[in-house]
Amino acid sequence: MNANKVVLITGASRGIGRATALAFLDAGHKVVLVARDEALLAEVAAIAPDRALPVVCDVTSPEAVDALFAQIATHFGRLDVVFNNAGISLPATEIADISWEDWRRVVAVNLDGAFLIARGAFAMMRAQSPRGGRIINNGSISAHVPRVGSVPYTVTKTAITGLTRTLSLDGRKHDIACGQIDIGNAASDMTDAMTKGVPQADGSLRPEPVMDVALVAQAVVQMAALPLEANVQFMTIMATKMPYIGRG
């Protein structure tokens, strides 16, 4: 991928999103940084203030997301790559003990937010000249092999796979490529508990290996580097020794 691409990253203030934003900035690209924490976004943008556009945005709000894409159009005039990354989870909880409010909170961010960002990106990429672009959805290995007590997270990430597949079909005639990265145990705020002990399928509580989040960022940059005639449809990147192959 040539430098000077315009890249949108949601959940860019922490964890995987922050690491990926830094990787794209380091590679010379223009990056739209989206999250709800203005101070943390400013810290990332300060790395390359001439190429970073921090935007405080709640991805669950259609009005806020529409305003985001209007701002991108005004500031940069186009959009080449999206990393649809924003997501949340709950502590391990059996379905009978999950409140409606917690269910809706996870679905709103992980699924509604991913839909709204994908919808806005698709519309912009379809209309711009030269047309096209790439959308990379952050899925999860939980969509393939779920964890104990993870109904809201697993359901939403399974749905992301459906979003990825359908965007790939709908995007063909518009030169819009869509792929997905399924990530397992990248060191971040969300995975801090894994090094201390997380519930296993056999009922035990055991620590799990994690990997450097920068490795995930490198993988996303590599996916985005392909020309639009090629696509990484699905990539799984994980800590080598985590219990995934043969989990349980």
Side-chain angles (χ1 to χ4, degrees):
M1 179 173 59
N2 295 330
N4 295 322
K5 295 289 186 182
V6 179
V7 182
L8 165 63
I9 299 173
T10 63
S13 63
R14 293 182 171 88
I16 291 168
R18 184 180 189 278
T20 305
L22 294 175
F24 275 109
L25 287 170
D26 186 59
H29 301 289
K30 300 169 185 174
V31 181
V32 183
L33 308 162
V34 171
R36 288 179 292 184
D37 192 314
E38 184 175 8
L40 290 179
L41 282 179
E43 288 179 10
V44 181
I47 302 298
D50 56 324
R51 291 183 287 107
L53 175 64
V55 181
V56 176
C57 176
D58 178 357
V59 297
T60 71
S61 164
E63 295 78 15
V65 172
D66 287 346
L68 164 67
F69 283 100
Q71 191 169 350
I72 294 170
T74 299
H75 196 86
F76 288 125
R78 67 176 290 109
L79 180 63
D80 300 293
V81 177
V82 172
F83 183 35
N84 210 355
N85 167 70
I88 61 172
S89 64
L90 299 175
T93 309
E94 292 184 348
I95 188 170
D97 302 314
I98 296 171
S99 70
W100 173 251
E101 291 74 21
D102 280 344
W103 163 262
R104 282 302 315 160
R105 185 162 57 90
V106 175
V107 171
V109 176
N110 293 9
L111 188 53
D112 296 345
F115 162 76
L116 291 171
I117 292 294
R119 182 180 69 169
F122 195 101
M124 190 170 181
M125 291 172 175
R126 182 180 63 183
Q128 65 193 8
S129 181
R131 72 176 186 178
R134 186 181 305 276
I135 299 170
I136 301 171
N137 291 324
N138 186 346
S140 173
I141 63 172
S142 291
H144 307 281
V145 182
R147 287 188 177 277
V148 173
S150 67
V151 164
Y153 186 79
T154 296
V155 169
T156 56
K157 290 302 185 178
T158 302
I160 292 298
T161 300
L163 176 66
T164 298
R165 292 182 186 277
T166 310
L167 285 175
S168 295
L169 288 174
D170 290 357
R172 285 178 182 174
K173 64 182 179 181
H174 303 295
D175 296 323
I176 299 172
C178 183
Q180 180 170 314
I181 185 164
D182 295 327
I183 302 163
N185 289 18
S188 68
D189 294 343
M190 191 179 286
T191 59
D192 277 349
M194 290 179 180
T195 59
K196 302 177 180 68
V198 289
Q200 304 295 314
D202 62 3
S204 64
L205 191 70
R206 284 180 287 177
E208 294 186 9
V210 297
M211 62 181 168
D212 190 335
V213 71
L215 299 174
V216 177
Q218 291 172 17
V220 175
V221 172
Q222 288 168 3
M223 292 173 73
L226 290 173
L228 289 179
E229 59 263 30
N231 187 40
V232 174
Q233 188 66 68
F234 293 98
M235 175 190 288
T236 300
I237 182 168
M238 53 177 270
T240 303
K241 296 183 180 181
M242 70 171 289
Y244 168 55
I245 302 299
R247 182 186 286 185

